[in-house]
Amino acid sequence: MKHEHYYVPAKSYWPIMGALGLFLIAFGAGHFVPQVTSGQQGGYGGWLLLAGVLVIIVMCFGWFAAVIRESMAGLYSGQMDRSFRQGMSWFIFSEVMFFCAFFGALFYARTFAVPWLGGGSNNILTHQLLWPDFSGTWPVATTPGGKSTEVMPWMGLPLYNTLILLSSSVTVHLAHLSLEKGNRLALKLWLLATILLGSCFLYLQGVEYIHAYTEMGLKLDAGIYGNTFFLLTGFHGMHVTLGTLMLLVMWLRVLAGHFSAQKHFGFMAASWYWHFVDVVWLCLFLFVYIL
């Protein structure tokens, strides 16, 4: 019986470095976010957060470079390729569960907590004692302290960003088809177009955040609506940033002559992730902006 080889890499310090970077990000963000929302100056949380991000960037470049070298050297078998596919599939599944938690919190607030505070389900007495002036309708534009905020409309920048991401999903698919057909020029152009569309999305989201903070009074401390808005859109923006960087690396690899019509899982993994980001945005656009 013929057995295919299975490459076992040497011991590496990259996983330990990645764990350290994630710890610094979590610890730094835990101290930095409360500091920003409260308006305090100084502190070390921001520096720890920045250090963690830099450690993760160095880890990604070093670890992925090692994997690329091993792949280009022909060390990986078909079984290794299947392992990569399973790993990426589970990673995307974990990301789905991540966003399900936040969508679940939004659903609970809108379906149970807000009507309950408004006196629904025989909670009239609770409504009168806790917040007699509260109207149990979503979105909640007033905090218990009386601070009010405007609601972000779905027309304008959110709609433009939706069209941009939908277009980017088409362009990355066209890039994939071009790779499978061996059309390297079309691959480079379509992939570059996807990267530019992703960058445009991030720019417009930044403009939207500035408008929300400076003109609408919509901030992280603007009650449950502000919390859910910035957590969902902010984490999605972080994932778009990651996806754009992944596609940028794939584009640089294409320029370097990497990938073939038969072997291009690195490109496929980035494409899967980008489609996942697009689907999450459609759900977010519907439940956060429209409904």
Side-chain angles (χ1 to χ4, degrees):
M1 177 182 290
K2 183 179 179 181
H3 298 278
E4 62 180 26
H5 72 282
Y6 191 91
Y7 176 69
V8 179
K11 293 181 180 179
S12 173
Y13 53 82
W14 294 119
I16 299 176
M17 192 171 180
L20 174 63
L22 291 175
F23 171 78
L24 291 174
I25 289 175
F27 192 82
H31 287 76
F32 178 68
V33 173
Q35 172 188 327
V36 172
T37 54
S38 62
Q40 298 178 0
Q41 301 295 326
Y44 55 86
W47 293 108
L48 289 178
L49 176 61
L50 178 60
V53 172
L54 292 176
V55 169
I56 290 296
I57 291 175
V58 172
M59 182 273 296
C60 288
F61 272 94
W63 200 349
F64 291 164
V67 173
I68 291 171
R69 287 193 299 269
E70 293 167 354
S71 178
M72 298 299 293
L75 298 176
Y76 295 157
S77 63
Q79 178 59 41
M80 196 71 169
D81 184 68
R82 290 187 289 274
S83 297
F84 282 129
R85 293 172 185 269
Q86 293 174 5
M88 190 63 188
S89 299
W90 281 112
F91 171 67
I92 293 179
F93 177 76
S94 71
E95 294 285 66
V96 170
M97 293 296 101
F98 176 84
F99 278 101
C100 280
F102 288 104
F103 278 114
L106 176 63
F107 173 79
Y108 180 84
R110 294 179 59 166
T111 307
F112 299 103
V114 170
W116 179 73
L117 287 173
S121 301
N122 299 320
N123 287 295
I124 300 298
L125 181 60
T126 304
H127 168 61
Q128 294 174 348
L129 291 175
L130 291 180
W131 198 349
D133 298 328
F134 178 74
S135 176
T137 58
W138 185 269
V140 180
T142 305
T143 65
K147 184 177 181 179
S148 61
T149 180
E150 295 183 44
V151 176
M152 182 66 68
W154 66 270
M155 297 291 288
L157 291 179
L159 179 59
Y160 298 155
N161 266 346
T162 301
L163 297 175
I164 286 172
L165 273 192
L166 288 176
S167 301
S168 71
S169 198
V170 174
T171 55
V172 76
H173 179 66
L174 293 174
H176 190 193
L177 293 178
S178 300
L179 176 57
E180 291 181 333
K181 295 177 180 178
N183 190 340
R184 306 287 295 189
L185 177 60
L187 167 62
K188 296 172 185 177
L189 294 177
W190 286 122
L191 189 53
L192 178 60
T194 307
I195 296 168
L196 294 176
L197 288 171
S199 302
C200 184
F201 175 92
L202 293 172
Y203 170 77
L204 291 181
Q205 189 173 53
V207 173
E208 180 186 30
Y209 276 13
I210 293 173
H211 174 67
Y213 257 72
T214 59
E215 300 179 29
M216 299 179 63
L218 180 57
K219 302 179 181 180
L220 270 172
D221 60 353
I224 186 64
Y225 174 70
N227 289 170
T228 54
F229 175 82
F230 281 107
L231 282 174
L232 279 164
T233 59
F235 274 121
H236 179 266
M238 183 182 71
H239 284 73
V240 173
T241 303
L242 177 59
T244 303
L245 292 174
M246 291 170 64
L247 292 175
L248 177 60
V249 172
M250 296 305 111
W251 186 66
L252 295 175
R253 291 190 62 186
V254 168
L255 294 181
H258 295 188
F259 305 127
S260 66
Q262 294 75 31
K263 297 189 64 176
H264 54 266
F265 176 70
F267 178 90
M268 285 183 61
S271 177
W272 289 356
Y273 190 80
W274 192 255
H275 289 307
F276 155 75
V277 166
D278 292 347
V279 171
V280 170
W281 175 258
L282 290 178
C283 297
L284 194 152
F285 182 64
L286 177 63
F287 292 108
V288 174
Y289 288 94
I290 296 180
L291 296 181

